Short mmCIF file of all heavy atoms in Angstrom, two decimals:
data_model
loop_
_atom_site.label_atom_id
_atom_site.label_comp_id
_atom_site.label_asym_id
_atom_site.label_seq_id
_atom_site.Cartn_x
_atom_site.Cartn_y
_atom_site.Cartn_z
N PHE B 316 -28.40 26.63 -107.34
CA PHE B 316 -27.36 25.81 -107.73
C PHE B 316 -27.51 25.18 -109.17
O PHE B 316 -28.78 24.97 -109.64
CB PHE B 316 -27.09 24.75 -106.84
CG PHE B 316 -28.30 24.05 -106.44
CD1 PHE B 316 -28.84 22.90 -107.10
CD2 PHE B 316 -29.06 24.45 -105.27
CE1 PHE B 316 -29.91 22.30 -106.80
CE2 PHE B 316 -30.18 23.80 -104.95
CZ PHE B 316 -30.61 22.76 -105.69
N LYS B 317 -26.53 24.89 -109.79
CA LYS B 317 -26.59 24.15 -111.01
C LYS B 317 -25.77 22.79 -110.80
O LYS B 317 -25.00 22.79 -109.96
CB LYS B 317 -25.97 24.80 -112.16
CG LYS B 317 -26.75 25.96 -112.69
CD LYS B 317 -26.07 26.62 -113.77
CE LYS B 317 -26.81 27.83 -114.31
NZ LYS B 317 -26.08 28.56 -115.30
N SER B 318 -26.17 21.80 -111.43
CA SER B 318 -25.38 20.55 -111.16
C SER B 318 -25.15 19.83 -112.36
O SER B 318 -25.92 19.75 -113.37
CB SER B 318 -26.24 19.64 -110.28
OG SER B 318 -25.62 18.52 -109.95
N SER B 319 -23.89 19.43 -112.41
CA SER B 319 -23.56 18.45 -113.44
C SER B 319 -23.20 17.17 -112.73
O SER B 319 -23.52 16.93 -111.58
CB SER B 319 -22.35 18.91 -114.26
OG SER B 319 -21.19 19.12 -113.44
N LYS B 320 -22.46 16.25 -113.46
CA LYS B 320 -22.16 15.04 -112.79
C LYS B 320 -21.37 15.02 -111.55
O LYS B 320 -21.71 14.42 -110.51
CB LYS B 320 -21.48 13.99 -113.91
CG LYS B 320 -22.41 13.35 -114.74
CD LYS B 320 -21.68 12.46 -115.88
CE LYS B 320 -22.79 11.89 -116.82
NZ LYS B 320 -22.01 11.26 -117.84
N LYS B 321 -20.19 15.68 -111.68
CA LYS B 321 -19.33 15.67 -110.44
C LYS B 321 -19.18 17.11 -109.92
O LYS B 321 -18.49 17.27 -108.91
CB LYS B 321 -18.00 15.13 -110.86
CG LYS B 321 -18.00 13.64 -110.92
CD LYS B 321 -16.65 13.13 -111.04
CE LYS B 321 -16.68 11.58 -110.92
NZ LYS B 321 -15.33 11.06 -111.14
N GLN B 322 -19.50 18.06 -110.57
CA GLN B 322 -19.28 19.41 -110.15
C GLN B 322 -20.59 20.12 -109.78
O GLN B 322 -21.59 20.05 -110.35
CB GLN B 322 -18.69 20.14 -111.17
CG GLN B 322 -18.18 21.54 -110.85
CD GLN B 322 -17.51 22.22 -111.91
OE1 GLN B 322 -16.47 21.68 -112.45
NE2 GLN B 322 -17.94 23.34 -112.39
N ILE B 323 -20.52 20.69 -108.53
CA ILE B 323 -21.70 21.51 -108.07
C ILE B 323 -21.30 22.94 -108.11
O ILE B 323 -20.28 23.37 -107.35
CB ILE B 323 -22.19 21.01 -106.75
CG1 ILE B 323 -22.57 19.50 -106.82
CG2 ILE B 323 -23.44 21.89 -106.25
CD1 ILE B 323 -22.79 18.95 -105.56
N GLU B 324 -22.04 23.82 -108.88
CA GLU B 324 -21.73 25.22 -108.82
C GLU B 324 -22.76 25.84 -107.95
O GLU B 324 -23.92 25.78 -108.14
CB GLU B 324 -21.83 25.67 -110.21
CG GLU B 324 -21.37 27.02 -110.45
CD GLU B 324 -21.61 27.45 -112.03
OE1 GLU B 324 -20.97 26.86 -112.90
OE2 GLU B 324 -22.50 28.24 -112.16
N ILE B 325 -22.28 26.62 -107.06
CA ILE B 325 -23.09 27.18 -106.12
C ILE B 325 -22.83 28.81 -106.12
O ILE B 325 -21.86 29.31 -106.09
CB ILE B 325 -22.65 26.85 -104.60
CG1 ILE B 325 -22.90 25.34 -104.53
CG2 ILE B 325 -23.54 27.54 -103.63
CD1 ILE B 325 -22.44 24.81 -103.27
N ASN B 326 -24.08 29.40 -106.31
CA ASN B 326 -24.05 30.89 -106.39
C ASN B 326 -24.79 31.36 -105.08
O ASN B 326 -25.90 30.96 -104.70
CB ASN B 326 -24.89 31.27 -107.60
CG ASN B 326 -24.13 31.02 -108.89
OD1 ASN B 326 -23.17 31.47 -109.13
ND2 ASN B 326 -24.72 29.89 -109.57
N LEU B 327 -24.11 32.13 -104.37
CA LEU B 327 -24.74 32.74 -103.17
C LEU B 327 -25.31 34.19 -103.27
O LEU B 327 -24.82 34.96 -104.11
CB LEU B 327 -23.56 32.76 -102.05
CG LEU B 327 -22.93 31.50 -101.68
CD1 LEU B 327 -21.63 31.73 -101.11
CD2 LEU B 327 -23.78 30.76 -100.80
N PHE B 328 -26.28 34.34 -102.69
CA PHE B 328 -26.86 35.71 -102.55
C PHE B 328 -27.48 36.12 -101.15
O PHE B 328 -27.85 35.04 -100.53
CB PHE B 328 -27.84 36.04 -103.70
CG PHE B 328 -29.04 35.35 -103.64
CD1 PHE B 328 -30.15 35.90 -102.98
CD2 PHE B 328 -29.20 34.07 -104.16
CE1 PHE B 328 -31.27 35.26 -102.83
CE2 PHE B 328 -30.36 33.34 -104.17
CZ PHE B 328 -31.49 33.87 -103.50
N HIS B 329 -27.38 37.26 -100.87
CA HIS B 329 -27.87 37.61 -99.46
C HIS B 329 -29.40 37.44 -99.38
O HIS B 329 -30.08 37.97 -100.13
CB HIS B 329 -27.33 39.13 -99.21
CG HIS B 329 -27.52 39.31 -97.78
ND1 HIS B 329 -28.58 39.54 -97.09
CD2 HIS B 329 -26.42 39.62 -96.90
CE1 HIS B 329 -28.26 39.84 -95.86
NE2 HIS B 329 -26.96 39.82 -95.75
N PRO B 330 -29.82 36.74 -98.24
CA PRO B 330 -31.22 36.53 -98.21
C PRO B 330 -32.04 37.79 -97.90
O PRO B 330 -33.10 37.94 -98.35
CB PRO B 330 -31.36 35.47 -97.10
CG PRO B 330 -30.03 35.73 -96.28
CD PRO B 330 -29.07 36.11 -97.35
N GLN B 331 -31.53 38.65 -97.04
CA GLN B 331 -32.36 40.04 -96.80
C GLN B 331 -32.18 40.95 -97.86
O GLN B 331 -33.27 41.50 -98.25
CB GLN B 331 -31.92 40.32 -95.57
CG GLN B 331 -32.42 39.85 -94.22
CD GLN B 331 -31.52 38.67 -93.74
OE1 GLN B 331 -30.30 38.79 -93.71
NE2 GLN B 331 -32.10 37.62 -93.39
N ARG B 332 -31.12 41.21 -98.38
CA ARG B 332 -30.84 42.31 -99.31
C ARG B 332 -31.31 41.93 -100.62
O ARG B 332 -31.65 42.78 -101.49
CB ARG B 332 -29.41 42.60 -99.38
CG ARG B 332 -28.91 43.42 -98.13
CD ARG B 332 -27.56 43.85 -98.39
NE ARG B 332 -26.69 43.76 -97.14
CZ ARG B 332 -25.34 43.59 -97.25
NH1 ARG B 332 -24.81 43.63 -98.43
NH2 ARG B 332 -24.73 43.35 -96.20
N GLN B 333 -31.37 40.63 -100.94
CA GLN B 333 -31.73 40.25 -102.30
C GLN B 333 -30.93 40.90 -103.44
O GLN B 333 -31.47 41.40 -104.36
CB GLN B 333 -33.19 40.45 -102.56
CG GLN B 333 -34.01 39.62 -101.72
CD GLN B 333 -35.54 39.77 -101.98
OE1 GLN B 333 -35.89 40.17 -103.08
NE2 GLN B 333 -36.35 39.53 -100.95
N VAL B 334 -29.71 40.80 -103.17
CA VAL B 334 -28.72 41.41 -104.25
C VAL B 334 -28.21 40.39 -105.18
O VAL B 334 -28.21 39.14 -104.89
CB VAL B 334 -27.70 42.17 -103.71
CG1 VAL B 334 -28.13 43.40 -102.86
CG2 VAL B 334 -26.84 41.32 -102.65
N ALA B 335 -27.73 40.86 -106.28
CA ALA B 335 -27.17 39.91 -107.21
C ALA B 335 -25.91 39.36 -106.72
O ALA B 335 -25.21 39.95 -105.91
CB ALA B 335 -27.02 40.61 -108.55
N PRO B 336 -25.50 38.20 -107.06
CA PRO B 336 -24.25 37.63 -106.64
C PRO B 336 -23.06 38.44 -106.78
O PRO B 336 -22.07 38.45 -106.05
CB PRO B 336 -24.24 36.25 -107.27
CG PRO B 336 -25.43 35.93 -107.71
CD PRO B 336 -26.24 37.24 -108.01
N ASP B 337 -23.00 39.25 -107.90
CA ASP B 337 -21.94 40.03 -108.18
C ASP B 337 -21.57 41.07 -107.10
O ASP B 337 -20.43 41.47 -106.98
CB ASP B 337 -22.25 40.79 -109.71
CG ASP B 337 -22.41 39.71 -110.74
OD1 ASP B 337 -22.13 38.54 -110.47
OD2 ASP B 337 -22.80 40.13 -111.71
N SER B 338 -22.59 41.58 -106.52
CA SER B 338 -22.27 42.63 -105.56
C SER B 338 -22.01 42.13 -104.04
O SER B 338 -22.09 42.73 -103.20
CB SER B 338 -23.55 43.51 -105.44
OG SER B 338 -24.69 42.85 -105.13
N LEU B 339 -21.73 40.80 -104.01
CA LEU B 339 -21.44 40.26 -102.76
C LEU B 339 -20.04 40.50 -102.38
O LEU B 339 -19.04 39.99 -102.92
CB LEU B 339 -21.53 38.75 -102.84
CG LEU B 339 -22.79 38.05 -102.22
CD1 LEU B 339 -22.77 36.53 -102.48
CD2 LEU B 339 -22.84 38.22 -100.85
N THR B 340 -19.85 41.52 -101.40
CA THR B 340 -18.47 41.64 -101.04
C THR B 340 -18.32 41.62 -99.55
O THR B 340 -18.49 42.57 -98.80
CB THR B 340 -18.09 43.13 -101.51
OG1 THR B 340 -19.10 43.94 -101.24
CG2 THR B 340 -17.76 43.23 -103.02
N GLY B 341 -18.11 40.33 -99.06
CA GLY B 341 -17.84 40.14 -97.74
C GLY B 341 -18.96 40.53 -96.78
O GLY B 341 -18.66 41.19 -95.70
N PHE B 342 -20.19 40.25 -97.13
CA PHE B 342 -21.33 40.64 -96.20
C PHE B 342 -21.27 39.71 -95.03
O PHE B 342 -21.84 40.05 -93.97
CB PHE B 342 -22.58 40.53 -96.91
CG PHE B 342 -23.03 39.19 -97.39
CD1 PHE B 342 -23.60 38.20 -96.39
CD2 PHE B 342 -22.95 38.77 -98.66
CE1 PHE B 342 -24.05 36.97 -96.85
CE2 PHE B 342 -23.28 37.46 -99.08
CZ PHE B 342 -23.85 36.58 -98.15
N SER B 343 -20.55 38.64 -95.13
CA SER B 343 -20.53 37.81 -93.96
C SER B 343 -19.33 36.88 -94.09
O SER B 343 -18.88 36.58 -95.15
CB SER B 343 -21.67 36.91 -93.76
OG SER B 343 -21.52 35.94 -92.81
N LYS B 344 -18.60 36.62 -92.97
CA LYS B 344 -17.45 35.79 -92.96
C LYS B 344 -17.88 34.38 -92.92
O LYS B 344 -17.00 33.45 -93.05
CB LYS B 344 -16.38 36.16 -91.83
CG LYS B 344 -15.77 37.44 -92.24
CD LYS B 344 -14.89 37.91 -90.97
CE LYS B 344 -14.09 39.06 -91.46
NZ LYS B 344 -13.31 39.61 -90.24
#
Side-chain angles (χ1 to χ4, degrees):
Chain B
F316 48 86
K317 285 178 182 176
S318 177
S319 62
K320 274 180 187 174
K321 278 189 174 178
Q322 180 175 305
I323 301 169
E324 189 180 290
I325 299 174
N326 294 290
L327 297 160
F328 66 94
H329 198 285
Q331 277 92 42
R332 291 190 220 154
Q333 292 181 28
V334 289
D337 297 347
S338 60
L339 256 179
T340 46
F342 66 84
S343 172
K344 285 179 179 175

